Amino acid sequence: MAASGGEVPPASRVEEERPLFRLDAEAAERVGRFLAAEFRGGAETAAGAAASQPGDRPDLPGAVGGVVFLAARATGERLAHAWFQAETAAEAVRGAVRAVRNKLSPAQLGRVDVLEINFARDFRRLRGRSALEALGDIRRGLVGLELVHQGRAYRYAPTEFIAFNLGFARALERLAERAGVALPVTGELPGPVRVFEALALLVDLSGPVPRTTRLYRGGEVVPVEAVTRPYVERLAALQGDWLLANLQPDGRLPYLYWPSRGEESPLNNQLRQWMATRVLLRVVRARGTPAVAARADAHVRYNLARTYREDAQGHGLILDRGDAVKLGALALAWLALTEHPQPGPYAQPAAALLHTMDALWQPHGEFHTFWQPVERRGDNVNFYPGEALLAWAVLYARERDPERLARLERSLRYYRTWHRAQRNPAFVPWHTMACARLWAVTRATEWRDWIFEMNDWLLGIQQWETQRAFPDTMGRFFAPDRPYGPPHASSTGVYLEGLIAAWGVAREAGDAARQETYRRAIVRGLRSLAQLTFKDATDLFHVTRRERVRGGVRTTVYDNAIRVDNVQHSLMALLDILEAFRPEDFRP
C-alpha cells in the first residue's frame, strides 16, 4: 500500500525477512494454535505444543517490532480487546493475551469462541487530511489508522473498520475523541497520523482443535472457481432464508439493516419494497410450502394497506415517502400483484395501477415518471420507464393486444434514442428485460440487436483484470472514472438480471460468441455477489444478531449495510441464472 504523502519512519520498519506475513494455510494454522494455546493458558494439544517449541517457530518466526491487536469474541460480541507492542511478534502476542484475559471474568473466558488478531506492520505517516482522503474507500478494511497524542497511540485495526463499518474520516474523528483532542478546522491533522497494513487472522476456539482463517478485509476472498451450480444454489437458499428471517409476522419487511449496530434504519422505499415482494413470490414458487406462501401474502397485504390508494377517477397509486407516486413503483407493484400465485383477489388494484401507468404514457412514446409531484415528471428516466416497459412487455406476452404492442414499440424506440445520447448503465437491465420479453414473442431483429448493443456496452464497466490488486471486488460493475455512482450490490444484481436475459436471447438467436461473452460476465458477477453475501461464521465474526444477517447481501466489500434491494436483485438474478444455466455454464 502506498499512501499519499506517506513515509515509513526507520524505527517502525520491520526487517526485510518477514515470513510471518507470508503465511500459507498450514503456517497460519500454526500461528492459530500458538495463539489458542497462549489464550487457554498453556493447555495445548500434543500437536500444538510441538508446533510452538522454541527453535521450531514457523508460527511466529521472530519478526521484530511486534505490534498486535487482539480481540476476544463470543457469538460476535466483542468481550475485550487490547493492543500490545513488544520486541518480537511472539512477545507481543503473549502480552496482548495477558491484557485481554485480565479484562475478562471467568464466565466471559468460558464464552470466548473466536479470537481476532491483527499483526500490524508498515506504518506510514500521513501529511494532512487530504492524504487520508486520498486513501479512498477501497482501502477500508485493508489498512489500519493510528493517531499519536502526548506520546500515546490510539489505533483502529483493519478488521475494526469492517466490524464497526467505519470510513477513514469517521475513524479519525473517533480517535481524536478518544485522545481528547479537537480536529482542526483546516485540512491539518490533530497530531501524527499513520496508516498501517496488517496480517489479520480469525482463530475459532469453538471446537477441540482451533481453526484459523486468514482474513482479507474481514473475510475470505471467494475464488471464481468456487462458483459452481451447487454453490449458487446455496447462495440462493441463504438469501431466501434472509428474506423470511427478516419478514415480520405482520408482513413488514425492513428496508435497511445495519449489522454492526444490530439495528434497523427508520428509512423506507416503497418501490424497492415491491421489488422485494416479487422475489418473495419467487421464493414461494421455489419452496412451495403453505407457510411460506402465507407469509409472502401477508407482505403483499401489508404493502397494499399502507401504500396503495385510488383517486376519484380510479387511478391506482403507490404512495412513497409522503405523497410521491413514482411510475416505477406502479410498475413493480403491478408485476408483483399479477405474478401472485393467486392473483384473483388483487385483480382490481392491479387494473387500477395499469390505468395510472397508461395515463402517464405520452403519444410520442415518453412516460411522465411521476404522477405526483408534477414537477418531478422528468426525473429517474434511467429507471422508471424501463420498469414500466417491462410490465407492459409482460402484459403483451399474456394478451397479445396490438395496440399495446404499438405503444410498447414506440416507447422502446423513443428511449433507445434517448439512451444513445446519454448512456447510463442503470438504463440497461430494465430495457433488456423488456425487450427480451418482447423478442420472445415477436422475434423482431430490431429488439434482439438493441439488447446486444446495450449489453455489449454495459460489459465495459465490469471490473476484472484491473481489480486484481483488490481481489474481493473482482466481478462488480463500477466505473470509477465515470459519473455513474458508487459500487453497489444492488447494481451488480440488477445488471445480472439483464445479462441472463441477454444470454438467453443470444442462445436462442444462435450467437455463440455473445453467449460465451455474456456467460463469462455472469459468472464473474456471481463471484462478486458471493463475496458480498453473509455466508458463514467468518463473514459473521463481528455480528451479534446473526439470525438477522445470515444470507443478507452487504452493500460493498467495505460497507456491511444490508438494503432489501441488495438481496432482492441478487436473488432474482440467482434464480433466473439457475433456471437458465446448465452445470457446465458455471465454469470460470
Side-chain angles (χ1 to χ4, degrees):
M1 191 276 298
S4 299
E7 63 182 17
V8 185
S12 298
R13 287 192 182 275
V14 177
E15 291 181 352
E16 293 303 317
E17 189 66 26
R18 296 180 300 177
L20 174 63
F21 300 104
R22 303 193 196 105
L23 297 184
D24 58 18
E26 181 181 356
E29 288 291 345
R30 293 178 181 176
V31 174
R33 289 199 298 269
F34 178 92
L35 174 59
E38 292 292 331
F39 188 80
R40 288 168 171 167
E44 301 178 83
T45 63
S52 60
Q53 291 298 317
D56 178 21
R57 296 276 181 152
D59 46 343
L60 288 173
V64 301
V67 181
V68 165
F69 169 81
L70 179 66
R73 293 182 177 272
T75 320
E77 179 187 0
R78 191 166 81 169
L79 302 178
H81 66 282
W83 282 93
F84 202 89
Q85 183 167 355
E87 290 298 318
T88 70
E91 291 169 349
V93 168
R94 292 189 180 102
V97 166
R98 287 193 301 271
V100 167
R101 286 179 61 91
N102 287 339
K103 296 177 181 179
L104 296 171
S105 68
Q108 288 175 320
L109 274 169
R111 291 177 55 210
V112 174
D113 56 13
V114 162
L115 298 174
E116 165 196 350
I117 189 164
N118 289 244
F119 295 90
R121 62 167 180 168
D122 290 353
F123 285 73
R124 300 170 187 267
R125 179 80 175 266
L126 297 181
R127 303 296 184 187
R129 201 93 55 93
S130 61
L132 183 66
E133 295 167 356
L135 291 172
D137 283 337
I138 192 66
R139 289 181 175 81
R140 286 167 56 180
L142 296 179
V143 298
L145 191 66
E146 175 192 78
L147 168 65
V148 177
H149 180 63
Q150 296 182 346
R152 182 177 177 183
Y154 300 85
R155 302 187 185 103
Y156 274 119
T159 51
E160 291 186 287
F161 278 86
I162 299 302
F164 297 137
N165 211 29
L166 286 176
F168 289 114
R170 181 59 181 140
L172 181 62
E173 290 176 4
R174 288 190 176 186
L175 291 178
E177 289 169 5
R178 283 162 52 187
V181 59
L183 280 176
V185 177
T186 65
E188 298 177 0
L189 294 167
V193 172
R194 299 191 297 180
V195 294
F196 57 90
E197 295 186 14
L199 166 69
L201 301 174
L202 207 61
V203 182
D204 184 348
L205 303 179
S206 60
V209 177
R211 183 173 60 86
T212 302
T213 302
R214 183 163 182 173
L215 300 179
Y216 182 89
R217 209 192 305 265
E220 293 182 277
V221 176
V222 177
V224 69
E225 294 80 11
V227 183
T228 62
R229 183 178 184 88
Y231 189 95
V232 175
E233 289 173 340
R234 176 172 172 259
L235 280 184
L238 281 169
Q239 293 178 15
D241 289 345
W242 182 89
L243 286 167
L244 295 173
N246 283 274
L247 185 60
Q248 304 303 300
D250 63 355
R252 183 182 66 87
L253 189 61
Y255 170 63
L256 178 63
Y257 188 81
W258 293 307
S260 294
R261 303 185 198 176
E263 298 175 359
E264 294 178 24
S265 166
L267 300 175
N268 199 10
N269 181 298
Q270 283 307 135
L271 185 153
R272 292 168 181 154
Q273 288 285 1
W274 281 105
M275 289 197 296
T277 305
R278 291 189 69 207
V279 79
L280 270 171
L281 296 174
R282 288 284 298 273
V283 172
V284 168
R285 292 199 294 275
R287 302 192 179 189
T289 65
V292 172
R295 297 190 67 199
D297 190 61
H299 180 63
V300 174
R301 289 184 278 106
Y302 180 94
N303 283 344
L304 281 174
R306 284 156 181 80
T307 68
Y308 177 76
R309 303 289 185 272
E310 285 185 23
D311 68 11
Q313 292 74 42
H315 295 109
L317 310 176
I318 299 294
L319 301 178
D320 195 357
R321 301 183 188 184
D323 61 354
V325 178
K326 306 170 183 176
L327 172 65
L330 303 175
L332 291 159
W334 181 89
L335 283 164
L337 296 178
T338 59
E339 290 167 351
H340 195 287
Q342 297 179 332
Y346 305 110
Q348 191 279 326
L353 291 169
L354 181 62
H355 180 42
T356 312
M357 281 190 281
D358 288 347
L360 287 169
W361 184 80
Q362 306 302 301
H364 59 286
E366 183 183 13
F367 280 97
H368 288 160
T369 55
F370 279 76
W371 181 260
Q372 57 190 42
V374 295
E375 61 269 19
R376 297 195 63 191
R377 286 187 166 181
D379 292 355
N380 295 86
V381 178
N382 281 306
F383 297 92
Y384 299 169
E387 292 158 353
L389 290 171
L390 173 60
W392 274 16
V394 168
L395 180 61
Y396 174 70
R398 292 173 186 164
E399 298 183 351
R400 309 296 174 91
D401 177 5
E403 177 58 28
R404 180 72 59 189
L405 174 62
R407 291 186 173 196
L408 178 58
E409 291 190 321
R410 193 176 307 165
S411 287
L412 287 170
R413 291 179 184 121
Y414 173 87
Y415 285 107
R416 179 174 61 192
T417 299
W418 186 90
H419 178 64
R420 282 172 172 167
Q422 48 203 328
R423 291 191 187 271
N424 188 294
F427 177 99
V428 173
W430 298 108
H431 287 259
T432 296
M433 288 185 276
C435 287
R437 296 274 187 154
L438 182 58
W439 183 82
V441 177
T442 67
R443 285 299 198 265
T445 59
E446 179 180 8
W447 308 125
R448 177 203 66 192
D449 293 347
W450 179 223
I451 290 169
F452 293 161
E453 180 183 329
M454 285 188 288
N455 287 276
D456 290 353
W457 176 84
L458 176 69
L459 294 187
I461 69 163
Q462 186 177 33
Q463 297 185 306
W464 192 253
E465 296 295 339
T466 59
Q467 289 302 104
R468 290 196 179 276
F470 305 101
D472 58 341
T473 67
M474 292 172 67
R476 69 182 182 176
F477 289 79
F478 175 51
D481 57 341
R482 303 171 82 174
Y484 300 144
H488 205 290
S490 65
S491 298
T492 294
V494 74
Y495 297 152
L496 291 187
E497 286 186 74
L499 274 169
I500 190 59
W503 179 88
V505 171
R507 179 187 57 184
E508 293 298 314
D511 191 332
R514 275 199 173 86
Q515 185 183 349
E516 173 58 18
T517 297
Y518 296 162
R519 184 205 64 78
R520 185 171 58 248
I522 289 167
V523 172
R524 291 175 174 181
L526 288 173
R527 195 226 67 81
S528 177
L529 294 181
Q531 188 75 55
L532 298 173
T533 302
F534 285 98
K535 302 175 290 299
D536 53 28
T538 299
D539 293 323
L540 296 162
F541 82 89
H542 60 284
V543 176
T544 55
R545 301 187 66 185
R546 295 183 173 183
E547 75 284 354
R548 297 292 304 273
V549 175
R550 183 178 286 104
V553 181
R554 71 199 92 191
T555 297
T556 66
V557 291
Y558 47 76
D559 180 353
N560 64 22
I562 303 171
R563 211 170 69 184
V564 70
D565 55 317
N566 296 357
V567 180
Q568 177 270 323
H569 280 309
S570 178
L571 185 51
M572 286 290 275
L574 297 183
L575 294 173
D576 285 348
I577 292 163
L578 287 168
E579 284 185 5
F581 269 22
R582 301 163 299 176
E584 57 269 29
D585 292 323
F586 290 90
R587 67 189 182 278

